[in-house]
DNA sequence: CGAGGTCTTGAAGACGATCAACAAACGTGG
DNA sequence: CCACGTTTGTTGATCGTCTTCAAGACCTCG
């Protein structure tokens, strides 16, 4: 955790709130997309958030090698899970969007194997690990839903390994755009067929394991073929089916279907 | 779950066992490398295993697209998490060794986004999801350890994304060998500086996202430089430090350190 | 209006894929 | 134990994708 601006006064920070509000909390909304929660579970979840913090674009929200005692929930903005290698090489291993529990895994993992970097200005809710510990002691169902969140992260990683290993650069970019489109849809952040994508082509290159020059060329090729239009931080997808088809995109791994967890 | 030979009579299958035995169960051993367990927790874990099954090399232990009601624990042999794409392309996203809880994630995930394929003859213990459900209802600490196992899997996936995206083929192969060396050491499967690796160069190619021809060339280059000798299913590492250095291998992600979870 | 970041384009070269052929190892049955 | 077929490993030649380096155009924001 580095140079963010501490902030209090979250709309949902206090325990003295009515029950109606709880369903509107971004954390509750996200988890209830996976499984319904009881009032007590919502309460426990909302109360687990301690403070909010803001991070300017480019800043490190969590540092590789550190051992955090809180986990971050992304309220606003895009962030990247960034692994730094020797020789200045870096690789983004996941893109985090509003509503994502960015580093829930740091609750149990010993040390951070990657950084969390703000890809745009970010607003983050902090959840102390002690609170997560309490939740796992008292709320088995809620624990399973939290666990599930990290399992979906794992599935996304697998999809990335397959994409980077066996798809062409063009297909890979298309696949990532499909993934973001579906996830942002779920988060209510797609308007029509377009969404705001604050990442630069160079950020994208770090996510795809390519050079920024090649991302540029591949982007232009996809534009030429009418699969995407990506300009001025706006990604537009004229025909999602066509793009998904080209990318060989199968959304199974995003776990949209759900499963009875209670 | 396909054509395996069902088998009963596990040494630890019955509930009527003495307490001393439990610590020797491979499942217990694996979890206790991460955190100590109470007697009740060991009991619950061992009792969760229903039957054992065997799978010949090349067979599918779990099928992509299926919705398993049991999870598999690998007692013996090597298995690969294999993602199949269109056009016959395939990518291994993780290598499973004896002691690994191969598809624990299928407990909560809706459908399998990948297959589990036997890379050698395998012996597997089956754990019904209903039993895992019971564990998560009654044993918070044990639940956290199981969760942690899947989080380490996620960390391995991240390391693979970084390796495949930003390392040269030579470094990548070296990195994978380092990973296997460390994990097999923990499982007590390294003798001296060598271990049995039942995978073919072609399997390795599927894990590295390369062609088998190139894996062969890279292997020979590493041999020429004295970093590995890999022949007849035996991988030998004359100087692990040297190999780790070359591969830019940092074992943090394997979570060897541990953390207080109780 | 100017400066720094981002995008675009070109040219050259490295890395890895593909195709093809052969050698070595393995396993299976006679 | 050997013969034979199959799988796995090895090598060469050629091709394509993506990288690197370099320079210029375009934005955006102070």
């Amino acid at each position: 955790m580095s140079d963010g601006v501490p902030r209090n006064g979250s709309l949902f920070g206090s325990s003295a709130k009515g029950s109606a509000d709880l369903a509107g909390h971004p954390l509750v909304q996200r988890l209830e997309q996976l499984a319904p929660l009881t009032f007590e579970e919502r309460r426990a979840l909302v109360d687990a958030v301690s403070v909010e913090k803001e991070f300017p674009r480019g800043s490190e929200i969590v540092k590789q090698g550190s051992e955090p005692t809180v986990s971050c929930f992304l309220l606003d903005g895009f962030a990247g899970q960034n692994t730094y290698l020797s020789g200045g090489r870096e690789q983004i291993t996941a893109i985090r969007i509003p509503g994502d529990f960015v580093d829930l895994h740091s609750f149990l993992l010993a040390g951070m194997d990657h950084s969390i970097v703000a890809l745009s200005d970010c607003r983050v809710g902090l959840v102390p690990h002690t609170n997560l510990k309490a939740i796992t002691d008292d709320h088995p169902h809620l624990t399973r839903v939290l666990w599930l969140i990290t399992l979906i992260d794992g599935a996304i990683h697998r999809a990335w390994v397959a994409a980077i290993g066996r798809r062409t650069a063009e297909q890979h970019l298309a696949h990532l755009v499909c993934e973001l489109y579906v996830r942002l849809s779920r988060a209510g952040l797609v308007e029509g067929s377009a969404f705001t994508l604050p990442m630069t082509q160079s950020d994208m290159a770090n996510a795809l394991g390519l050079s920024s020059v090649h991302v540029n060329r591949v982007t232009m090729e996809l534009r030429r073929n009418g699969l995407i239009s990506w300009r001025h931080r706006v990604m537009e997808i004229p025909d999602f089916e066509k793009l998904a088809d080209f990318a060989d995109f199968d959304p199974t791994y995003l776990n949209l279907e759900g499963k009875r967890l209670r």
Side-chain angles (χ1 to χ4, degrees), chain A residues 201 219-231:
Chain A
Q201 291 188 354
T219 299
M220 289 190 304
E221 186 59 27
L222 290 179
R223 282 205 275 249
R224 225 170 286 129
N225 295 333
L227 289 170
I228 64 172
S229 98
W230 175 24
R231 279 187 191 288

Side-chain angles (χ1 to χ4, degrees), chain A residues 61-223:
Chain A
I61 299 174
V62 186
K63 199 160 189 162
Q64 183 166 335
S66 68
E67 299 181 8
T69 57
V70 298
S71 285
C72 302
F73 178 78
L74 193 51
L75 292 159
D76 217 23
F78 280 55
Q81 277 188 343
N82 214 319
T83 298
Y84 296 101
L85 306 176
S86 68
R89 292 171 298 180
E90 62 180 282
Q91 173 74 46
I92 294 178
T93 57
I95 294 169
R96 302 313 204 149
I97 64 168
D100 280 350
F101 216 139
V102 176
D103 67 336
L104 179 50
H105 50 276
S106 74
F107 167 43
L108 298 175
L109 246 16
M112 291 294 287
D113 53 80
H114 60 271
S115 288
I116 307 286
V117 177
L119 296 171
S120 70
D121 292 346
C122 284
R123 195 162 52 89
V124 154
L126 301 186
V127 183
H129 289 168
T130 48
N131 295 353
L132 290 172
K133 171 75 161 43
I135 285 178
T136 56
D137 278 332
D138 302 335
H139 300 282
H141 173 70
L142 185 49
T143 301
R144 283 189 291 266
V145 181
L146 289 170
W147 186 355
L148 174 55
I149 287 182
T150 64
L151 292 177
I152 294 172
D153 290 342
I156 292 175
H157 288 325
R158 282 191 289 276
W160 280 43
V161 170
I164 206 168
R166 292 299 187 207
R167 270 179 250 260
T168 64
E170 229 174 309
Q171 277 189 310
H172 188 184
L173 175 54
H175 194 271
L176 180 51
V177 172
C178 286
E179 177 188 312
L180 288 171
Y181 176 84
V182 170
R183 289 170 56 203
L184 288 164
S185 292
R186 278 215 119 187
L189 293 172
V190 172
E191 290 158 42
S193 59
F195 56 88
T196 301
L197 185 65
M199 300 171 66
T200 63
Q201 291 188 354
S202 168
D203 291 331
M204 213 51 144
N206 280 334
L208 298 169
L210 298 170
S211 69
S212 57
V213 170
H214 201 58
V215 167
N216 181 266
R217 296 198 162 113
V218 163
T219 299
M220 289 190 304
E221 186 59 27
L222 290 179
R223 282 205 275 249

